[in-house]
Amino acid sequence: MIRTFDIMLKDIHQILIDRQTFLFLLIMPVAFTFLFGYASGGFSSGSSDSRLPVGYITRDDSWFSQEMHELLADSEVIRLQEFPANKLDEMDKLIANEKLAAGIIIPERYGADFLKGKPIKITLIADNSATSTTTVKSAILSTLIRLDSAAQTANIMEQMIGNRTPFDYIFEETLSAWETPLIRISKIESSAIDPEVNETLAYISPGMMLQFAIAGLMTCAQIIVNERKSRSLQRLFTTATRRIHILAGHYLAILGIIFSQFTLLILFGTFALKVNYLRNPPATFLVAFASALCIAALGLLIGVVSKNEDQAVVFSLIPMFVFSGIGGAWMPLEFTSPTFQKIGHISPIAWAMDGFENIASRGLEFNSVLIPVAALLGYATAFFILAAWRFQVSQEH
Amino acid sequence: MDAIEVNDLYKSFGDVKAVQGVSFTAEQGTIFSLLGPNGAGKTTIIAMLSTLLRPDQGDAKIMGYSILENPMGVKSVLGVVPQEIALYEDLSARENSTFWGKMYGLRGSILKARVDEVLEMIGLTDRAKGAVSKFSGGMKRRVNIGVALLHKPQVIYMDEPTVGIDPQSRRNILDSVVALKNQGMTVLYTTHYMEEAQELSDKIAIMDFGKIVASGTHAELVKIVGQLDRITLTINAEGSQVLETWKAISGVAQISSENGFLTVLAEDSNLVLPRLFDSAASLNVRITSVNILEPNLEAVFLHLTGRALRD
Ligand SMILES: Nc1ncnc2c1ncn2[C@@H]1O[C@H](COP(=O)(O)OP(=O)(O)O)[C@@H](O)[C@H]1O
Ligand SMILES: [Mg+2]
């Protein structure tokens, strides 16, 4: 059993003295993350809309409510995203997932009651602890104050001038007089949502990480191929070392390498790219570990089936392109048709991407990674069994 | 006690009958050689005895462990020097030795001490940190041998360990094989150099086409061709012209003429040859070629198979 660790350490030593390792496992994914990131505007926060996205549902179609909507829509702080009244669930979910900073619901007869001076309640759905909530609140409040003042003024004017000036005309006029709002809202950087920038990087970062983890398998697989070609494997078989321990040693080595790569790149993604991997560290850890188990088993299989070093390279690049391509490492699968999404999930990468994105960008809870993790473990088991079978068969005479 | 006991082994690769009914025994603490040309089946036997290949038929016991029933037992007493270099060439000599030492069950300070000893023994202490891939063929061979000795195995197989190396390294290796025997190890040695077999072996089996054609001590084997030197000559005349005269020369035991070749069997070619040249001169015949074959394994092989060992 201890020989398994000896073999693992020997392999890791061999993998690390090969410069190719660092190229594929660290340099390429970082470089490509930047490349793709720039190409898809992930870093160009200047031109993009950085206002807080806020859901908006109105159950009141009075002109007053429309007025309010217009004011809010012009806000420099929030960006309204309208939902039909019956899509409250959807809006709730997006808020829970932090896709929206908050949601506003304008109740029925709001305009009429407001004008009558009745107590009014706009429903604001938001995470009270988030700083973005304060920002949204102040934006709404300032709009209401403007509306209220305008309405008050209009009322007063109406009373003073009688019926000669129509209320709505005055209201409009007064409102424009308030171009400079009473309460200035300073722009607050939201911690909950930092729109756009991380949206793009949140899939490019894990996508490149997974893709190049597979590319990096070529080095790992070459170690196994070379062991066989150099007849060191034959020599190993003349020592009292069990085959399963040899195989396990190789597997643990690749696992160690891939998992270290994930750890470094996740830290890089977190601190350099502000990808929200650490929103739920245990969940991210679980997805990373299951992905590493799966990709390492694939590497073992490649090493066992490859007849020479060239095959090890080709057999690593093919799954890299196929699994990454259909598995959504280059483009989120949500952007594709439901059929393609189904096909895409043949690729273990799709499950790994689901796992990482559920945490880093969809803002889902721990439970959301369990199915992706189970799928990854399934692939890991299948790859490992195939590798073990080939290893056994290829040595029998 | 017999350290190695081989019982009627057979192995075919498709149509190629690589090993056909090989049996032999090697006593503990001795050197047993398999001598035979390329393709005789030596490596195939070593592979079966190291449990890498499963025999089609037959069994063998190594220190009492059956290769069929207890391969792990066999491996636990074994050191194998494979015919081809089997090392991690990207690692250094020391890293290779340390890794293989661990695979042979050595740990800690014992491992370190043994690695130092073996590196010293194979004369690579100074180059221990260099990657094996940068080594010369001879240095690689020495590492290849060294790593099999780390755990001081009870039985060691050496499959043509001296092929393709310089004379000095070869001398070194042959000396170390004898040293291993003197430490009480049993050595199974294969070669196609009869001098090596002759020098090292307590017992020799001569192999050809998957079979042992003769076995025994060097002296026993040589007896097969008798104690006489064999001199083969050609002359620029009919053999019959000299046949009668040469038969009478003292020291010549037997003479025959066939296909233009004269074959003389003599007790000592050194004494007989000058007499043959003198006689030829007086008969006005020129000797155009001479070949002397002393009664050695080469002659035995030729005698038994009709072919030279080094085809
Ligand atoms: N793996 C193999 N597949 C097919 N033929 C083989 C294999 N190994 C050895 N042979 C054949 O078996 C015969 C014996 O080979 P080998 O044991 O290597 O001889 P030696 O070691 O005495 O040179 C040769 O004819 C060789 O070509
Ligand atoms: Mg051979």
Side-chain angles (χ1 to χ4, degrees):
Chain A
M1 195 56 210
I2 187 160
R3 292 175 199 205
T4 298
F5 291 100
D6 295 330
I7 292 172
M8 175 190 82
L9 292 177
K10 186 266 299 166
D11 277 13
I12 289 178
H13 179 65
Q14 283 181 295
I15 293 168
L16 293 184
I17 54 182
D18 189 335
R19 283 205 201 104
Q20 204 179 278
T21 305
F22 295 98
L23 178 68
F24 281 107
L25 292 181
L26 293 176
I27 298 169
M28 299 269 267
V30 168
F32 274 77
T33 303
F34 278 111
L35 202 72
F36 274 89
Y38 277 115
S40 50
F43 292 96
S44 55
S45 54
S47 62
S48 70
D49 193 342
S50 61
R51 296 176 301 172
L52 287 174
V54 173
Y56 185 85
I57 290 177
T58 181
R59 300 202 163 112
D60 176 42
D61 52 4
S62 66
W63 62 268
F64 182 83
S65 294
Q66 285 163 23
E67 211 53 68
M68 169 151 180
H69 176 250
E70 256 168 58
L71 282 176
L72 286 171
D74 285 347
S75 162
E76 286 174 10
V77 184
I78 63 177
R79 173 165 52 84
L80 283 193
Q81 194 175 329
E82 279 159 78
F83 290 84
N86 59 355
K87 287 283 163 69
L88 181 58
D89 285 357
E90 199 173 298
M91 188 172 83
D92 270 348
K93 207 190 264 170
L94 287 171
I95 295 163
N97 297 353
E98 298 179 5
K99 290 277 193 194
L100 292 176
I104 300 169
I105 301 169
I106 310 295
E108 272 175 83
R109 298 185 38 76
Y110 174 73
D113 289 354
F114 186 95
L115 292 174
K116 283 181 199 152
K118 279 197 187 175
I120 38 137
K121 270 185 192 145
I122 288 179
T123 314
L124 180 70
I125 308 169
D127 174 4
N128 247 333
S129 62
T131 30
S132 60
T133 305
T134 322
T135 315
V136 176
K137 264 190 197 159
S138 358
I140 297 168
L141 216 58
S142 78
T143 308
L144 286 176
I145 290 168
R146 285 171 68 186
L147 281 169
D148 190 29
S149 320
Q152 304 281 357
T153 314
N155 270 331
I156 293 162
M157 296 277 276
E158 197 178 29
Q159 280 164 20
M160 279 169 44
I161 306 166
N163 284 333
R164 264 169 294 165
T165 320
F167 173 88
D168 49 348
Y169 172 69
I170 296 171
F171 183 81
E172 284 291 348
E173 289 296 296
T174 320
L175 208 53
S176 48
W178 285 108
E179 273 308 339
T180 316
L182 272 182
I183 301 175
R184 266 209 70 85
I185 296 178
S186 55
K187 200 167 149 187
I188 298 165
E189 283 292 301
S190 157
S191 64
I193 295 223
D194 196 357
E196 293 301 325
V197 178
N198 298 354
E199 286 303 295
T200 315
L201 293 179
Y203 79 78
I204 292 177
S205 166
M208 291 301 114
M209 174 170 90
L210 291 163
Q211 169 177 344
F212 284 102
I214 299 182
L217 292 180
M218 68 176 70
T219 325
C220 305
Q222 278 171 347
I223 301 287
I224 299 174
V225 170
N226 277 334
E227 176 169 86
R228 191 170 58 243
K229 282 189 58 189
S230 72
R231 296 182 195 77
S232 298
L233 183 63
Q234 289 268 321
R235 193 194 272 266
L236 261 181
F237 287 155
T238 69
T239 70
T241 310
R242 295 190 184 282
R243 278 167 195 222
I244 188 67
H245 289 169
I246 298 172
L247 204 63
H250 290 325
Y251 181 60
L252 289 180
I254 309 178
L255 180 67
I257 292 288
I258 302 287
F259 190 70
S260 310
Q261 181 221 12
F262 283 175
T263 307
L264 288 175
L265 289 183
I266 284 173
L267 292 176
F268 173 77
T270 302
F271 296 109
L273 308 175
K274 303 269 185 284
V275 175
N276 212 350
Y277 283 120
L278 299 189
R279 208 182 50 75
N280 189 335
T284 295
F285 170 83
L286 200 61
V287 176
F289 193 66
S291 304
L293 283 171
C294 173
I295 292 175
L298 177 64
L300 193 65
L301 181 60
I302 294 169
V304 170
V305 300
S306 301
K307 291 203 171 61
N308 51 48
E309 292 201 15
D310 291 343
Q311 282 194 355
V313 173
V314 173
F315 291 169
S316 302
L317 291 182
I318 291 173
M320 181 197 93
F321 281 117
V322 174
F323 286 162
S324 306
I326 68 169
W330 302 335
M331 185 186 65
L333 280 181
E334 294 101 283
F335 293 179
T336 64
S337 70
T339 317
F340 191 87
Q341 289 186 29
K342 277 210 187 82
I343 296 172
H345 279 80
I346 291 171
S347 162
I349 295 288
W351 295 102
M353 288 300 289
D354 280 354
F356 283 121
E357 285 189 274
N358 281 353
I359 298 307
S361 74
R362 296 191 189 113
L364 299 182
E365 289 318 302
F366 182 83
N367 285 351
S368 70
V369 304
L370 293 180
I371 289 175
V373 163
L376 287 167
L377 293 181
Y379 277 104
T381 312
F383 290 147
F384 190 89
I385 288 174
L386 272 176
W389 171 74
R390 260 312 291 256
F391 189 65
Q392 199 64 32
V393 168
S394 65
Q395 300 306 326
E396 273 170 9
H397 295 277
Chain B
M1 183 199 152
D2 287 333
I4 305 173
E5 195 185 319
V6 179
N7 221 321
D8 207 23
L9 286 181
Y10 282 81
K11 184 72 195 179
S12 297
F13 301 103
D15 290 342
V16 181
K17 292 177 176 163
V19 176
Q20 312 179 57
V22 165
S23 304
F24 63 87
T25 56
E27 212 172 300
Q28 204 174 338
T30 64
I31 300 175
F32 187 101
S33 291
L34 292 171
L35 172 68
N38 278 331
K42 305 181 295 291
T43 299
T44 307
I45 291 175
I46 296 282
M48 288 190 283
L49 296 186
S50 8
T51 76
L52 289 176
L53 271 183
R54 209 182 158 77
D56 297 338
Q57 194 185 313
D59 193 1
K61 287 198 172 125
I62 314 300
M63 300 306 292
Y65 297 113
S66 157
I67 57 169
L68 297 180
E69 279 146 38
N70 196 347
M72 274 297 162
V74 172
K75 291 174 190 189
S76 69
V77 297
L78 208 56
V80 181
V81 179
Q83 179 172 0
E84 313 276 352
I85 311 283
L87 298 167
Y88 297 104
E89 299 216 353
D90 48 346
L91 300 182
S92 71
R94 179 175 290 281
E95 286 161 350
N96 265 289
S97 304
T98 306
F99 173 75
W100 289 111
K102 287 177 183 170
M103 291 304 109
Y104 284 126
L106 303 177
R107 305 274 139 196
S109 55
I110 296 177
L111 172 63
K112 201 187 165 303
R114 278 301 292 160
V115 167
D116 288 340
E117 272 173 53
V118 165
L119 286 173
E120 186 67 46
M121 188 186 108
I122 60 176
L124 285 175
T125 306
D126 295 340
R127 300 289 302 275
K129 285 194 177 128
V132 171
S133 58
K134 301 265 158 58
F135 282 8
S136 71
M139 290 161 76
K140 286 182 191 176
R141 287 231 157 253
R142 283 185 271 158
V143 181
N144 197 43
I145 294 169
V147 295
L149 307 177
L150 286 159
H151 58 309
K152 299 192 176 169
Q154 298 178 54
V155 177
I156 179 153
Y157 305 156
M158 301 178 108
D159 195 1
E160 308 218 26
T162 59
V163 168
I165 61 172
D166 58 286
Q168 199 193 330
S169 294
R170 182 176 184 178
R171 187 69 258 150
N172 227 307
I173 290 169
L174 295 181
D175 290 345
S176 59
V177 175
V178 175
L180 294 175
K181 167 185 149 174
N182 293 338
Q183 289 171 32
M185 291 186 202
T186 309
V187 183
L188 176 59
Y189 191 96
T190 83
T191 182
H192 64 266
Y193 297 123
M194 64 106 189
E195 305 90 331
E196 285 186 3
Q198 180 173 343
E199 177 186 337
L200 295 174
S201 318
D202 295 299
K203 243 173 119 183
I204 302 161
I206 299 178
M207 286 196 69
D208 195 31
F209 288 118
K211 287 181 181 152
I212 291 179
V213 290
S215 70
T217 62
H218 179 253
E220 284 166 357
L221 287 169
V222 166
K223 266 198 200 123
I224 296 173
V225 286
Q227 299 296 325
L228 302 175
D229 291 354
R230 175 189 292 254
I231 307 166
T232 310
L233 310 124
T234 53
I235 54 175
N236 65 346
E238 282 300 312
S240 51
Q241 282 183 258
V242 298
L243 212 58
E244 288 308 312
T245 323
W246 286 8
K247 222 175 228 171
I249 290 175
S250 86
V252 172
Q254 197 188 323
I255 183 163
S256 60
S257 171
E258 213 178 304
N259 302 331
F261 285 97
L262 286 160
T263 305
V264 179
L265 293 182
E267 265 149 34
D268 187 346
S269 55
N270 262 359
L271 291 176
V272 169
L273 261 182
R275 292 172 194 159
L276 292 180
F277 274 96
D278 287 346
S279 166
S282 61
L283 290 169
N284 219 5
V285 169
R286 284 188 76 80
I287 293 175
T288 49
S289 79
V290 183
N291 183 37
I292 307 161
L293 201 57
E294 293 184 341
N296 56 21
L297 298 170
E298 187 89 46
V300 176
F301 188 83
L302 185 70
H303 175 79
L304 292 173
T305 67
R307 292 181 298 114
L309 194 49
R310 260 165 252 200
D311 282 345

